[in-house]
Amino acid sequence: MAEQADARVPVLMYHAVAADPNDATRALSVTPEAFAEQLAAIADRGLTPLGTAELAAAWRSGRPLPRRPVLITFDDGYEGVHRHALPALAKHGFPATLFVSTGWLRGPYETGGAPDTMLDWDQVRELAATGVEIGGHSHTHPQLDQLGEERLRFELIHCKEIVSDQLGTVPASFAYPYGYSDRRVRRAVRETGYAQALAVGNGLARRAQGPYALRRVTVRRRTGPEEFARLIEGRAITRTFAGDRALTKGYAVLRRTRQARGRVLGAGA
């Protein structure tokens, strides 16, 4: 049981899988060739991919994890997940989780603002039919911790209702847009009925983080084979993302200042 509690699991965070993405998504995209090579590396090393709900349920119940677990997750809902990632996942029989921003997907709930070509609901249903877990990622992809209570609840509930209506199953997992959350957001996610939620953090996931703050590591266009090997083996994670952490801390100070200023202005209104 101690080994179960102390397990550190790499949760890979992907966005677009595209040969020629636009400027808005390029840095956080991977080429189809790179994605195929990364899945091959996971298979060659004998890792066991899991779904998000599967990992969280194991940690919640205390059931043992499979040998060398790893999670493959996608944020937002880019069309290349269906076009390029799905065939590669199917080749290896790997599960994955796709977190969708429902207002960005093509179809009846589209609100505009999507940064690149997105999935439509037929494609999402096909992904779900092949075993890809579909989770929530808000409706319009805002910074949830910057929202008032009414808008926050709308983003969470509307996303959940749309996914449930379109797929016939209630999403169990959630991923915070931009990775941002605070205690209030996490409480709202739990009260909306999501059983677990993923952040970013660029660290390995651990049971001690709790089911609503599980960390992920970012896979991007500049992630080469050696760096990817370190990610899935859980080596040198802190050094790999040292620059990201410095930027994140600086931006967190700015965000807290903006929040405090907003509260002061609100109190004076």
Side-chain angles (χ1 to χ4, degrees):
M1 184 65 72
E3 183 179 349
Q4 164 83 1
D6 293 339
R8 291 169 169 81
V9 179
V11 182
L12 306 175
M13 181 182 68
Y14 289 94
H15 288 79
V17 181
D20 188 24
N22 64 19
D23 291 343
T25 58
R26 180 172 298 277
L28 287 177
S29 70
V30 298
T31 66
E33 294 78 14
F35 183 73
E37 291 169 1
Q38 289 162 2
L39 293 195
I42 290 172
D44 291 344
R45 285 167 170 78
L47 276 69
T48 306
L50 303 175
T52 302
E54 187 179 0
L55 173 69
W59 271 341
R60 190 175 289 111
S61 66
R63 293 197 306 269
L65 295 173
R67 179 177 178 271
R68 304 189 68 191
V70 63
L71 271 66
I72 302 165
T73 72
F74 302 90
D75 280 9
D76 303 341
Y78 298 100
E79 195 269 343
V81 175
H82 181 274
R83 180 187 299 270
H84 302 298
L86 179 57
L89 290 165
K91 176 181 176 180
H92 295 280
F94 285 169
T97 306
L98 167 66
F99 295 101
V100 295
S101 293
T102 48
W104 277 5
L105 300 187
R106 289 180 289 147
Y109 309 102
E110 188 173 359
T111 60
D116 209 335
T117 304
M118 310 304 287
L119 297 161
D120 63 30
W121 283 102
D122 285 341
Q123 292 171 319
V124 175
R125 280 187 285 271
E126 186 174 342
L127 285 159
T130 66
V132 174
E133 178 186 351
I134 308 299
H137 197 44
S138 80
H139 185 53
T140 64
H141 203 279
Q143 298 177 24
L144 295 176
D145 59 344
Q146 303 293 301
L147 301 182
E149 195 67 21
E150 183 177 351
R151 175 73 188 284
L152 171 62
R153 298 286 175 165
F154 169 81
E155 288 286 338
L156 300 176
I157 293 170
H158 199 45
C159 175
K160 182 182 177 184
E161 290 176 341
I162 290 172
V163 173
S164 300
D165 180 65
Q166 289 293 314
L167 303 184
T169 57
V170 179
S173 305
F174 187 83
Y176 305 108
Y178 307 102
Y180 300 145
S181 73
D182 55 20
R183 184 176 300 176
R184 179 180 67 98
V185 170
R186 293 190 289 273
R187 181 178 66 248
V189 168
R190 182 181 68 248
E191 291 175 353
T192 301
Y194 293 101
Q196 51 275 327
L198 301 183
V200 182
N202 284 318
L204 300 177
R206 300 179 59 192
R207 188 181 185 186
Q209 292 162 0
Y212 293 95
L214 297 175
R215 293 183 178 181
R216 294 187 285 175
V217 292
T218 307
V219 184
R220 47 199 164 189
R221 210 161 187 88
R222 73 169 190 254
T223 303
E226 292 184 4
E227 180 178 323
F228 186 79
R230 291 197 299 271
L231 296 185
I232 60 177
E233 293 169 2
R235 295 187 288 109
I237 301 295
T238 300
R239 185 171 73 247
T240 299
F241 293 104
D244 298 76
R245 286 199 174 91
L247 288 172
T248 299
K249 288 180 180 178
Y251 192 47
V253 171
L254 176 62
R255 283 158 47 77
R256 285 196 296 270
T257 301
R258 288 175 175 170
Q259 284 179 308
R261 184 180 301 143
R263 286 193 292 269
V264 170
L265 292 174

